[in-house]
Amino acid sequence: MNEVNQIVSDIKKGNAKPIYILMGEETYYIDKISDYIEQNVLSEEERGFNQVVLYGRDVTVDEIISQAKRFPMMADKTVIIVKEAQELSRTIEKLVSYVENIQPTTVLVLNYKYKTLDKRKKLHKIVSKVGVVFESKKLYENQVSDWIRKVLNGKNYQMEPKAAQMLVEFLGTSLSKISNELDKLVLILPEGTIISPDHIEENIGISKDFNNFELRKAVGNKNVVKANQIINYFSNNPKSNPTVMTVSLLNSYFTQLLMYHGLQDKSKSNVAKNLGVSPYFVNDYVSASRNYPMRKVSQVIGLLRDADVKSKGVGASISQNDLLKELLFKIMH
């Protein structure tokens, strides 16, 4: 986020670079930077003649170079934005010739999503010297909760840890998806609100009681009744709670439990760091470790691998709901 702020700050000061390559798995910041350049480098009047948006699937690198070499008309800059530039991955190195003789009045932006340039090749090296190469990496699950907190703090909101975990469990680590839901909450709830699981349930539609987070907690506590209530809810709402995802999340949970057993330093901060979870949830792992010694955890991971294969339709002769029920019975007994 600091790197993004610095890029935006430089543009605000009138120090836009002649070329930006925005690349990586996490598209949120790529879009943020690209949109900021699109909306702020030129005035509204200047954009008509001096700003062009191209798409990688529709153009060649030579055509991009041709556009980039144009001089601005009645403006200081020309802005060329190439969306879906990853479609040009096979020929992208041809840009080297342009960058070596770069047009200083052009701001060329390449949105190179889901991929990265080879750092060993010349294009990455030369653009790093005269422009900006920004890599937007996916955040880990525990980092997303912290990101949510920072974003909401900037808008004078807070969110309870469980509410943040519900969002991550339901939406994954895609910052764009999470940001869209946060925008909805900010529109609905008054400034200064501490966003709770109830707010998430009421406004986004994620059940605060019947979700994968609560299932893992019930399994960790060997709460058979609660665990079965949750999977019965899942069977009635299969599109929102696919078995493949549930098995995957349970596997992550027991893998973390295995890591917990292997830690010598079991202080809250060290456990949180090594397991990649918020310190708020460490006690859940401490409790679960008493119910599942290391040998049992190893057995459970084997059961989950078998269930993962069956949940994908390989060798499964029972329904997805019965598969989960059988799995939980074996885990908790």
Side-chain angles (χ1 to χ4, degrees):
M1 195 179 286
N2 289 338
E3 189 178 355
V4 175
N5 291 338
Q6 185 61 55
I7 291 170
V8 170
S9 176
D10 287 343
I11 296 167
K12 275 183 182 176
K13 293 173 184 174
N15 299 326
K17 299 292 185 183
I19 183 167
Y20 293 82
I21 295 182
L22 312 174
M23 63 184 192
E25 288 292 320
E26 179 49 70
T27 63
Y28 177 80
Y29 286 119
I30 292 174
D31 289 334
K32 283 289 183 186
I33 296 170
S34 181
D35 290 347
Y36 187 83
I37 292 171
E38 188 173 345
Q39 295 161 14
N40 292 279
V41 170
L42 298 177
S43 68
E44 192 171 345
E45 296 77 22
E46 293 170 334
R47 287 175 208 151
F49 291 109
N50 300 287
Q51 185 157 290
V52 178
V53 177
L54 306 171
Y55 290 85
R57 66 176 181 271
D58 299 326
V59 297
T60 65
V61 172
D62 289 336
E63 288 169 335
I64 294 169
I65 292 172
S66 177
Q67 289 278 359
K69 284 183 175 178
R70 289 173 44 218
F71 287 98
M73 293 178 62
M74 296 176 289
D76 294 329
K77 298 283 185 185
T78 300
V79 176
I80 311 294
I81 295 172
V82 185
K83 298 187 177 183
E84 300 172 3
Q86 69 275 8
E87 299 287 339
L88 298 162
S89 60
R90 292 182 180 179
T91 55
I92 196 76
E93 283 293 315
K94 290 174 70 175
L95 272 174
V96 168
S97 63
Y98 168 73
V99 182
E100 287 177 330
N101 298 282
I102 204 157
Q103 171 61 272
T105 57
T106 292
V107 178
L108 175 60
V109 183
L110 294 114
N111 295 341
Y112 201 80
K113 293 180 177 179
Y114 313 112
K115 294 185 177 182
T116 57
L117 293 181
D118 188 335
K119 295 179 182 178
R120 298 166 297 179
K121 291 190 175 180
K122 193 169 184 179
L123 183 62
H124 187 284
K125 292 175 181 176
I126 195 169
V127 173
S128 297
K129 291 178 182 176
V130 301
V132 171
V133 178
F134 169 74
E135 183 176 354
S136 188
K137 297 179 180 179
K138 270 203 173 294
L139 298 185
Y140 294 111
E141 188 175 313
N142 62 311
Q143 294 174 311
V144 175
S145 295
D146 191 47
W147 181 85
I148 291 171
R149 180 183 60 79
K150 288 178 181 176
V151 168
L152 289 175
N153 282 350
K155 299 177 179 181
N156 197 23
Y157 289 80
Q158 295 180 56
M159 182 176 282
E160 292 179 15
K162 182 184 171 182
Q165 188 70 21
M166 285 169 63
L167 279 181
V168 176
E169 292 277 0
F170 189 72
L171 300 170
T173 58
S174 168
L175 300 187
S176 296
K177 289 181 181 178
I178 293 171
S179 179
N180 288 338
E181 298 304 331
L182 295 182
D183 288 343
K184 291 178 191 175
L185 291 169
V186 167
L187 280 173
I188 295 166
L189 302 173
E191 192 172 328
T193 298
I194 299 174
I195 300 169
S196 68
D198 285 325
H199 290 126
I200 300 295
E201 183 172 56
E202 291 164 12
N203 298 293
I204 298 179
I206 307 169
S207 171
K208 72 179 192 300
D209 296 315
F210 301 101
N211 55 63
N212 279 303
F213 173 75
E214 290 298 329
L215 176 62
R216 292 194 301 188
K217 191 172 181 180
V219 170
N221 291 329
K222 288 197 170 180
N223 187 335
V224 177
V225 173
K226 178 67 174 177
N228 278 289
Q229 287 175 339
I230 294 170
I231 60 169
N232 284 334
Y233 176 85
F234 284 2
S235 69
N236 293 323
N237 300 272
K239 288 185 179 179
S240 300
N241 305 279
T243 301
V244 172
M245 179 65 72
T246 298
V247 172
S248 175
L249 290 169
L250 283 171
N251 185 65
S252 297
Y253 177 68
F254 277 95
T255 300
Q256 288 170 319
L257 265 184
L258 193 64
M259 291 170 63
Y260 175 85
H261 279 298
L263 292 175
Q264 290 187 336
D265 177 4
K266 289 186 168 62
S267 63
K268 182 174 282 192
S269 59
N270 191 59
V271 171
K273 178 183 175 183
N274 281 278
L275 270 58
V277 299
S278 165
Y280 178 85
F281 298 114
V282 167
N283 286 340
D284 291 343
Y285 290 87
V286 175
S287 175
S289 71
R290 298 190 187 107
N291 291 324
Y292 299 92
M294 186 177 282
R295 180 176 291 182
K296 177 64 175 177
V297 172
S298 298
Q299 291 172 353
V300 169
I301 290 173
L303 292 170
L304 287 162
R305 286 175 181 164
D306 182 54
D308 179 59
V309 172
K310 290 180 178 177
S311 71
K312 294 168 182 171
V314 180
S317 56
I318 57 176
S319 69
Q320 298 284 297
N321 186 43
D322 287 339
L323 175 66
L324 266 184
K325 285 183 176 179
E326 181 183 275
L327 174 64
L328 293 187
F329 177 83
K330 290 177 179 177
I331 289 174
M332 292 189 284
H333 289 82

